[in-house]
């Protein structure tokens, strides 16, 4: 099957990714990717079109989620940790900066 046989394929300008699987090659929209679960499956045939805003927004969301998790972990150490744990945390913050803790 060629990419022309892929049903519901978006235009190249609107595509978020390309699927290289021979069974259903073609450009992918966000909805098609979600329905097929390409990202969740970590599909090896998925080739992101990195210039699309979808990927930039996704990276920002993932980075924000990681930052919130680190902040909550640090808050727990400050609230319930021993003096040694708190001192180690502050040492890490001073060495690496706030973004890398």
């Amino acid at each position: 099957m060629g990419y022309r046989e892929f049903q519901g394929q978006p235009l190249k300008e609107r595509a978020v990714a390309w699927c290289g699987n021979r069974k259903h090659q073609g450009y992918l929209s966000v909805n098609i990717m979600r329905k097929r679960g390409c990202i969740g499956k970590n599909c090896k045939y998925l080739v992101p079109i990195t210039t699309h805003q979808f990927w930039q927004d996704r990276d920002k969301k993932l980075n924000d989620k990681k930052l919130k998790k680190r902040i909550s972990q640090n808050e727990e150490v400050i609230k319930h940790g021993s003096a040694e744990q708190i001192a180690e945390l502050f040492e890490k913050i001073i060495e690496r900066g706030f973004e890398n803790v």
Side-chain angles (χ1 to χ4, degrees):
M1 286 188 186
Y3 73 91
R4 292 182 185 171
E5 296 177 42
F6 180 177
Q7 297 296 319
Q9 183 177 185
L11 297 173
K12 183 178 180 178
E13 300 83 37
R14 295 182 184 171
V16 173
W18 167 264
C19 181
N21 190 332
R22 289 184 180 183
K23 293 181 182 177
H24 53 259
Q25 274 185 342
Y27 291 107
L28 301 172
S29 66
V30 175
N31 288 335
I32 293 171
M33 255 190 345
R34 286 185 179 147
K35 286 179 187 175
R36 292 176 181 243
C38 303
I39 296 173
K41 293 178 195 175
N42 201 15
C43 180
K44 66 181 181 180
Y45 300 108
L46 182 71
V47 179
I49 299 173
T50 56
T51 56
H52 195 279
Q53 187 65 34
F54 170 80
W55 298 107
Q56 295 163 3
D57 293 344
R58 182 174 181 272
D59 288 343
K60 186 179 181 325
K61 284 181 188 177
L62 291 175
N63 289 336
D64 288 348
K65 186 176 178 181
K66 288 178 185 178
L67 181 63
K68 285 180 185 179
K69 183 177 179 180
R70 276 190 260 135
I71 288 171
S72 68
Q73 288 172 344
N74 292 345
E75 287 175 347
E76 286 297 314
V77 169
I78 291 170
K79 287 180 184 175
H80 305 291
S82 66
E84 291 176 5
Q85 291 172 328
I86 295 171
E88 288 175 11
L89 175 64
F90 282 116
E91 186 179 325
K92 285 181 187 176
I93 290 173
I94 291 168
E95 286 177 5
R96 300 180 187 162
F98 289 100
E99 295 297 320
N100 298 322
V101 177

